[in-house]
Each structure stands twice: as structure tokens, then as C-alpha cells.
Amino acid sequence: MNTSTTHGAGVQSAVTVRDAVIDLLRRLRITSVFANPGSTELPMFRDFPDDFRYVLGLQEAVVVGMADGYAQASGHAALVNLHSAAGVGNAMGNLFTAYKNQTPLIVTAGQQARSILPFDPFLSSNEATELPKPYVKWSIEPSRAADVPLALARAYHVAMQEPRGPVFVSIPVDDWDQPAHSVEPTQVSTEVRPDPHALQQLGAALDACRRPAFVVGASVDRAGAWEGVVALAERHHARVFVAPMSARCSFPENHRLFAGFLPAMREKIVAALAGHDVIVALGAPAFTYHVEGCGPHVPEGAALFQLTEDPSVAAWIPTGSSVVGNLRLGIADLLARPAPTSRELPLPRAARPRAAPTPLMSVAFALQTLAEVRDAADIVVEEAPSSRPVMQDYLPITKTGTFYTMASGGLGYGMPAAVGVALARPGERVIGLIGDGSSMYSIQALYSAARWNLPITFVILNNSRYAALQEFAPVFGFAKTDPVQGTDLPGLDFVALGAGMGCKGTRVADPALLKNVLTAALASREPAVVEVIVA
């Protein structure tokens, strides 16, 4: 059973709110604060303890993105400190992403002094607890200063309880020096074992079927169920697809049973799964769609099962059966069943042809080269939406905990998340694979990477446009030759931008030079920008 600690008001002599909060955070092993400073937050950081670190982001979206990457890579809640209403507003895009990523974040924000709140003062947040909704699991502004430590203790437990996610605590500026009591540890389970009867039905269907398919999503990797899913797929000779828009890698993409990536379109999902009589979605919604579709949600004659830790996802499954509970525990229980009768192995996925060098470098060649020079243990943090299908073909991810992207579709996550991942996994090489358009949403993250001298190589694929929008436009009636307003991005210089924030950089357009440039950047153990000019 996975547990977390806190709670229970102590009876010690009174200390300040600041003292009690710092003590609580230390007990919870939360000693990194991801923040952008503001006046209503300053008292929190007076006499800042030596065993804590303040990770500065130059914009609030960067702050939340860094904390998101850190929490995901560490598997533990991260603390965010934002300025009152304006700062929370700036952070909302990446707060939405953290919610979709199921990232446990404790987000605190300053509030004006309680004594002047009735007068609508400057820098106050009129409805502080409503501002971040609905993209936090819980939101509070404690009624009394003395209640702040307990509110943060509860916030921690709510954030860590599956399905995990961000929570929000608004703290008036004059609370920090008020008397409070320390918060002593308790334990709260954060995982729920799936119902044995429901798992029995799922297991029986798997045992009896002829041609099973698994559809894996981010929660497999998030829950530490990677090895269990591999073992279950091998036991049942099941083909394994990746769910649409999955934000983690949950199955080795070089495995004999790996079948590829499902698109976010109903008809194409049904076509890809055709011929399978039992389909089991593991740690993924069944299914995430991006455009309107019609017809059945699964192939005719197929039975659909879903194992998810999120009851809200289970509630809208369009057909079939859902089992709610922790993925790692559920997979372990399925593996504890007697081994089924062996069935024939499915045919392997066809290999992709190699990408050839061309005068104007293709994305496929760029990512194929990156795959050849990186170590399989290097961590890839990706935000290059138009290049993702090519990445899925030419940059296979083969190890658990080595791939992160945004589940929300919102931009501005990837660059700061790479910083957070590197802070959480010291000594490991991180590759930020970012599109040129995406990078400009949170380019300030380069400053934080340089400030902490992190081993991150930011590979920026520069095609001088918002390619994803141009390529998606025909779905909404554009002719292929029609211009799409606001989607061209000429004249950006990422080497210069990186240099201005302390990161060395190289621009490469010649395919013959790319391998050496990437090799040198990855070997440097310093933050670096590699701007790759692609078609």
C-alpha cells in the first residue's frame, strides 16, 4: 500500500504559520519551491531555510511547467508559489495541462491582508478559490491564519490521491507571522485496489478470447505498471497500441508486440483495432477523440474493457465495462491468475523505411539522427505537435520514465517541464524536443536551465510556421493551397535567444553536420540549444 504523511493538529506551544508550514513541507520531503516572486508572497520567504531551494521561473506559466516536470519525474507532489490573481491567471494554461497530466501540485498564491480585503485593495483576488477552477482538485482560502498549515496538509493528500492532480491554497499576506500549531504526521493511502469481481470478469474475457489488443495510456507509466503490462501482453500474446494523445510512454516501442499509435479519430481507431475480439484499455480513456466522428466506438463483435484509476473517466465509457483502481495493483492481480492457454503470436509491426538526407532536411531524418546518437536512458520531453507522428516512427522510446509530453494540447509546457525533469533526476541527460512555435510560449525556461546548469539539450525543430494548424486546416474546409492566417513564423533566431539567457547554441541546416552537432551537445553536460532547420 502506498501511503503519504501528515495531519493531526499538534498540541505544542504556538509557533508562527511560517514555522509550521516549513516544518510540514520538510516532513513531506517538499524542499523545492517553484515560484515567481510577488509582494503578497514575500513574507513566506523571510528567513528562507538553507535546506530549501527556490527555483525561479521568469513567468508563471514557466513556474508551473517546471513544477509539473519535477513532480512527474520524481513521482511526488511539488510546491508552486504564484502571485495573487494576475499570477494565477498567467499560470492557467500550464495549470490546465497539469490537471490533464494528473500531476500532483500544491499551488499556493498570495492574497492581500485580511484587514483590508473588505475594501477591494490593489492586488487582491476577489474570488481567489474560484479562479483556478475547474482545473484543480480542491481549492481553499483558510478562514483563519492558524488553519493554513492544516489546509496545506489536506492539499497534499488530495493532490497525491489517485487520480492525482493540482490543488490550490490562497494565503493572505498577513497570515505568515500569526501564531499556529505544528502539524504532525499521519498516513493516508493513495492507491485503491480494483474490485476483485470486476477484475475476474476482465481476466476471464482475456483468457477466452482469440485475438486480444491492449491500448495503453499514461497512467501505466505513472503508476509504475510498465513491467507488469509487458508481462501481461506477453502472457496473452496481445498486440499493444498506444492510446490517442498519451502523455507518457507505457510500453517499449521496439517490442515484438508493439502495434503502434492510435489516432484521435473514432473511425480510424475502429479500423486499427479491427479483427480483435477483446480490447482492454489500460490507464487510458477509451477513447480520446479530437474531431467529430460517427459509427461504433469499437469493431463489430469486440468487447471493450477499461482499467483506470479515474472514476470520472470510467463514467463516460461509451460501451463495455470499466474497472476502477490503481493500475499497478490491478495488473498484478491479473498476472496472479492461472496462465491461459497459449495462443498464436500476432504478426510484428512493419519496420519503417530509413529517412534519407535531403538538401532541405526532413523532420524524419532529424529525429532518426537523434535516435541514433541518444542513449535509450536519456529522457525526452516533447512539445512538437506537428512532428509527433514522425517522432513516433523515428524516435522510439524503449524505457519506462523516459518520455513526457502534455496531455492537454496546450502549448508552453515542454521547455519548462524539461527543466523540472532535470532537477528531479540529477545526473540524467534530458532532451527537450520542441517545435519553433511551441518554444515561444515559454522560452524563458532557458534562463532557469542556465541558472541551474542543467544537462538539457533543447532540440528546436524550426520550420518557420505553426505547422500543426496548417496541416489540420483541411479538416475544417480549407483547400490545401489556402493560406491560414497567423501561422507563418519567419525570422526567429533561437541561437540568439538562447545566448541571451545563458545557453550556448548551434544552428544546423545541413544533414551531414547534424550527427556531430547533436553528439557534441549531448556530451557537454551543460544546457544547449540546437536549432534544426527542417522542411
Side-chain angles (χ1 to χ4, degrees):
M1 178 177 70
N2 187 17
T3 59
S4 59
T5 61
T6 62
H7 264 263
V11 294
Q12 300 94 333
S13 59
V15 295
T16 67
V17 169
R18 183 191 306 102
D19 294 335
V21 167
I22 292 297
D23 179 66
L24 169 66
L25 294 173
R26 190 178 282 122
R27 290 172 183 268
L28 294 173
R29 298 176 291 112
I30 300 176
T31 56
S32 293
V33 184
F34 295 87
N36 182 270
S39 58
T40 53
E41 296 75 51
L42 286 175
M44 177 182 180
F45 300 110
R46 193 171 66 247
D47 300 323
F48 195 61
D50 292 338
D51 58 328
F52 279 57
R53 64 179 172 185
Y54 187 103
V55 183
L56 172 65
L58 298 186
Q59 206 264 7
E60 288 88 348
V62 173
V63 170
V64 174
M66 291 192 300
D68 187 319
Y70 184 86
Q72 288 204 68
S74 66
H76 194 62
L79 178 65
V80 175
N81 185 250
L82 303 174
H83 197 29
S84 53
V88 175
N90 285 339
M92 279 302 297
N94 272 343
L95 193 59
F96 170 62
T97 292
Y99 182 79
K100 291 294 187 179
N101 283 351
Q102 294 187 16
T103 303
L105 299 182
I106 303 169
V107 181
T108 62
Q111 172 64 295
Q112 263 293 5
R114 292 179 187 269
S115 62
I116 59 172
L117 280 177
F119 308 112
D120 194 16
F122 185 65
L123 295 180
S124 66
S125 183
N126 290 343
E127 296 185 45
T129 61
E130 297 301 310
L131 181 56
K133 291 181 179 178
Y135 301 118
V136 291
K137 292 180 65 180
W138 184 64
S139 180
I140 189 172
E141 184 174 281
S143 298
R144 305 180 305 158
D147 296 330
V148 169
L150 278 172
L152 287 167
R154 180 176 177 182
Y156 170 79
H157 289 304
V158 174
M160 289 294 290
Q161 182 69 46
E162 290 186 329
R164 294 177 172 182
V167 294
F168 180 81
V169 183
S170 172
I171 306 173
V173 67
D174 54 344
D175 280 4
W176 294 102
D177 292 316
Q178 298 301 311
H181 289 282
S182 295
V183 176
E184 295 192 5
T186 63
Q187 293 189 335
V188 179
S189 173
T190 61
E191 297 172 352
V192 176
R193 195 166 215 108
D195 173 47
H197 177 68
L199 275 182
Q200 163 67 23
Q201 292 179 315
L202 193 164
L206 264 180
D207 293 344
C209 73
R210 295 178 297 100
R211 195 170 178 232
F214 293 170
V215 178
V216 296
S219 291
V220 170
D221 197 41
R222 187 182 298 121
W226 167 292
E227 292 179 358
V229 167
V230 172
L232 193 67
E234 291 173 346
R235 167 179 284 201
H236 288 281
H237 289 180
R239 296 177 78 206
V240 180
F241 297 84
V242 175
M245 306 300 182
S246 182
R248 302 274 286 263
C249 179
S250 295
F251 196 81
E253 294 168 14
N254 60 349
H255 194 281
R256 169 71 170 70
L257 292 170
F258 181 66
F261 298 82
L262 293 179
M265 187 173 182
R266 186 190 307 189
E267 295 89 340
K268 291 184 177 181
I269 291 172
V270 171
L273 296 174
H276 295 285
D277 52 345
V278 166
I279 299 159
V280 183
L282 299 169
F287 299 101
T288 299
Y289 302 130
H290 189 196
V291 295
E292 246 184 316
C294 60
H297 295 275
V298 293
E300 185 177 352
L304 176 64
F305 292 85
Q306 178 176 250
L307 175 58
T308 175
E309 81 283 21
D310 191 342
S312 67
V313 168
W316 60 255
I317 186 173
T319 184
S321 303
S322 284
V323 184
V324 177
N326 175 262
L327 267 294
R328 178 177 50 82
L329 299 177
I331 296 297
D333 287 347
L334 289 171
L335 286 170
R337 295 171 52 83
T341 303
S342 180
R343 55 173 66 88
E344 187 177 344
L345 269 171
L347 293 174
R349 186 184 185 213
R352 294 291 181 183
R354 284 187 59 79
T358 52
L360 186 55
M361 198 183 325
S362 69
V363 173
F365 181 84
L367 297 184
Q368 175 181 278
T369 304
L370 179 60
E372 290 169 351
V373 302
R374 73 177 277 259
D375 188 280
D378 290 342
I379 302 168
V380 176
V381 182
E382 177 266 329
E383 191 180 297
S386 65
S387 300
R388 191 170 300 156
V390 182
M391 180 197 72
Q392 292 167 348
D393 285 335
Y394 289 94
L395 184 62
I397 308 299
T398 60
K399 291 183 179 294
T400 183
T402 61
F403 179 76
Y404 302 90
T405 189
M406 75 292 192
S408 64
L411 301 183
Y413 163 81
M415 267 195 162
V419 174
V421 169
L423 286 168
R425 307 268 283 273
E428 298 186 45
R429 165 60 66 180
V430 176
I431 299 168
L433 181 61
I434 316 292
D436 53 344
S438 296
S439 68
M440 294 307 299
Y441 282 73
S442 53
I443 196 75
Q444 304 95 325
L446 293 176
Y447 175 86
S448 300
R451 167 69 180 80
W452 293 94
N453 195 33
L454 298 171
I456 308 172
T457 299
F458 293 98
V459 179
I460 299 179
L461 301 174
N462 187 350
N463 55 21
S464 299
R465 62 194 181 112
Y466 288 122
L469 291 174
Q470 292 181 357
E471 291 163 8
F472 201 58
V475 174
F476 295 102
F478 284 73
K480 288 188 176 182
T481 56
D482 285 349
V484 183
Q485 299 303 313
T487 57
D488 289 327
L489 299 173
L492 290 171
D493 186 339
F494 293 98
V495 174
L497 288 167
M501 296 190 215
C503 288
K504 298 176 182 177
T506 306
R507 175 182 290 154
V508 56
D510 185 346
L513 301 178
L514 181 62
K515 184 173 184 178
N516 287 341
V517 170
L518 288 173
T519 300
L522 289 169
S524 70
R525 310 305 299 174
E526 295 178 345
V529 172
V530 177
E531 180 182 2
V532 185
I533 308 301
V534 294

